[in-house]
Amino acid sequence: MTVQTETLLGGTDKAAIMVMLLAEEDASRILSQLTPDELRQLAGTMCGIGEVEPQAISDAIAGFSRSTEHNGISGHGRVDNVRRLLNGAVGEVKTDNLMRQVAPEAQEESLPALGLLRWLDPKIIGEILADEHPQAIAVLLLQLDTDVAAAALAALPEDLHTPVLHRVARLGPVSRQAIDILEHTLNAKIEKLHGTIPLTMGGIRHAADIINRSHRSVEKNVMPKIGKIDKQLAKELENEMFKFEHLFVLDMKMTGVLLREIESDTLILALKGLEEEQREQFFGAMSSRAADGLRDEIEARGRVKKADVETAQKEIVAVAKRLIAGGELIMGEGDEDYV
């Protein structure tokens, strides 16, 4: 059966087409809300509808549009609705950060969490926290956007940088009681976090993000000291601070500089683990003939072990680090800082 232009689409047909146009995850959420009878009817239509021509898709979308043209979308409770959607997507802490940026007035009215500290200049935050224990500072930095946290860290005395970042990376669950005590210590300048369960905070990635966004001197000073305290942590931080994906910010010229130092077999394995559009970053730095040849070699290689791909990508990252240290490879804007 083919649904053609002249076919008169029923309501179930249109619904089936609309569901099939959605991403699998979105379609699953919609189907999960149907009754058994509705689900049977819609599933039967989806299985039996056959090929659907473009005009039938347009008719289904137009029908959906007409059915909603007089309904509109209410603005009542919009901020709460958006917050719930974001919570499901990225979690409470990141949602708080986003909502402070897009709806600050609503935040002040409905969310008494984290308050004053988030609105202060990073230098002032550094002054406020300078006399606090590194553990307390780590908890507070993790309530801030990463850029603000990095600036606040820079404003702290240098001897606090290493112990604070060490605790950021190793913090783990933090109880509400600990946060409550911290609030009183700071004279209510920091308001309570949401929820009654412990919040998993910090981690290798978060500490690496703060270091990445800090001035290069922070990395040079902190990393050797962390290595003396915790060698395994230093290794994990270094791996997180510079991943293969970070090479995607290179321009064509710098990508070419890197490629000249990479063995062909290593490059084939590394690119084998990327999506086609990600490979274009590297193909674009080659001649058309070389790029076509590399595409053919990648295709001919067949399936490869994930471990081999990861090893090849790590080898390329190691080459990139060597070139950066020698000033031959420049990341980002070309100053001392790099991603």
Side-chain angles (χ1 to χ4, degrees), residues 32-85:
S32 69
Q33 299 179 50
L34 300 180
T35 66
D37 286 340
E38 290 171 338
L39 197 55
R40 271 193 297 271
Q41 186 177 3
L42 186 59
T45 302
M46 292 169 68
C47 290
I49 201 169
E51 298 293 327
V52 182
E53 292 194 344
Q55 185 59 48
I57 294 175
S58 297
D59 291 343
I61 295 173
F64 176 80
S65 177
R66 285 194 298 273
S67 71
T68 60
E69 62 186 3
H70 299 299
N71 294 334
I73 300 176
S74 172
H76 179 69
R78 175 69 51 73
V79 172
D80 290 337
N81 290 336
V82 173
R83 171 170 291 280
R84 282 195 297 273
L85 290 172

Side-chain angles (χ1 to χ4, degrees), residues 48 142 180 232 264 299:
L142 288 166
D180 287 345
Q232 180 60 31
S264 176
E299 185 66 27

Side-chain angles (χ1 to χ4, degrees), residues 1 32 58-59 70 90-91 101-103 106 110 130 164 172 204-205 209 227 267 270 282 309 313 319 322 326 336:
M1 170 185 171
S32 69
S58 297
D59 291 343
H70 299 299
V90 299
Q101 297 172 42
V102 302
S110 61
V164 167
I204 304 296
R205 178 173 297 180
D209 283 344
L267 183 59
F282 302 91
V309 171
Q313 291 181 351
V319 172
R322 172 171 58 78
E336 280 193 329

Side-chain angles (χ1 to χ4, degrees), residues 151-200:
L153 177 72
L156 289 169
E158 189 174 294
D159 60 352
L160 283 174
H161 292 179
T162 299
V164 167
L165 282 169
H166 181 260
R167 284 165 173 80
V168 166
R170 292 298 195 201
L171 196 54
V174 177
S175 70
R176 273 292 304 272
Q177 182 181 12
I179 293 175
D180 287 345
I181 293 172
L182 196 53
E183 287 177 342
H184 293 299
T185 302
L186 295 174
N187 291 321
K189 289 182 179 179
I190 302 168
E191 298 174 349
K192 297 178 183 177
L193 285 171
H194 292 296
T196 57
I197 60 174
L199 298 172
T200 300

Side-chain angles (χ1 to χ4, degrees), residues 22 51 58 70 80 82 113 117 127 138 145 172 219 273 276 280:
L22 296 174
E51 298 293 327
S58 297
H70 299 299
D80 290 337
V82 173
L117 194 69
E127 293 175 4
D145 294 331
E219 177 192 342
E276 185 61 35
E280 290 301 323

Side-chain angles (χ1 to χ4, degrees), residues 231-299:
K231 290 183 179 180
Q232 180 60 31
L233 174 59
K235 183 177 180 180
E236 292 173 358
L237 278 172
E238 185 175 348
N239 289 337
E240 189 66 40
M241 285 165 58
F242 197 156
K243 291 187 171 182
F244 187 79
E245 294 77 36
H246 292 149
L247 298 176
F248 297 160
V249 304
L250 290 174
D251 59 25
M252 289 299 103
K253 180 180 178 181
M254 290 295 104
T255 302
V257 170
L258 175 62
L259 290 179
R260 285 195 289 272
E261 302 293 320
I262 306 300
E263 295 290 338
S264 176
D265 193 61
T266 301
L267 183 59
I268 291 170
L269 282 172
L271 298 191
K272 189 73 178 175
L274 301 182
E275 299 293 335
E276 185 61 35
E277 62 183 32
Q278 294 173 324
R279 294 173 185 170
E280 290 301 323
Q281 163 82 19
F282 302 91
F283 293 149
M286 305 176 183
S287 66
S288 298
R289 182 176 179 180
D292 289 340
L294 184 59
R295 288 189 182 94
D296 291 341
E297 289 189 65
I298 291 173
E299 185 66 27

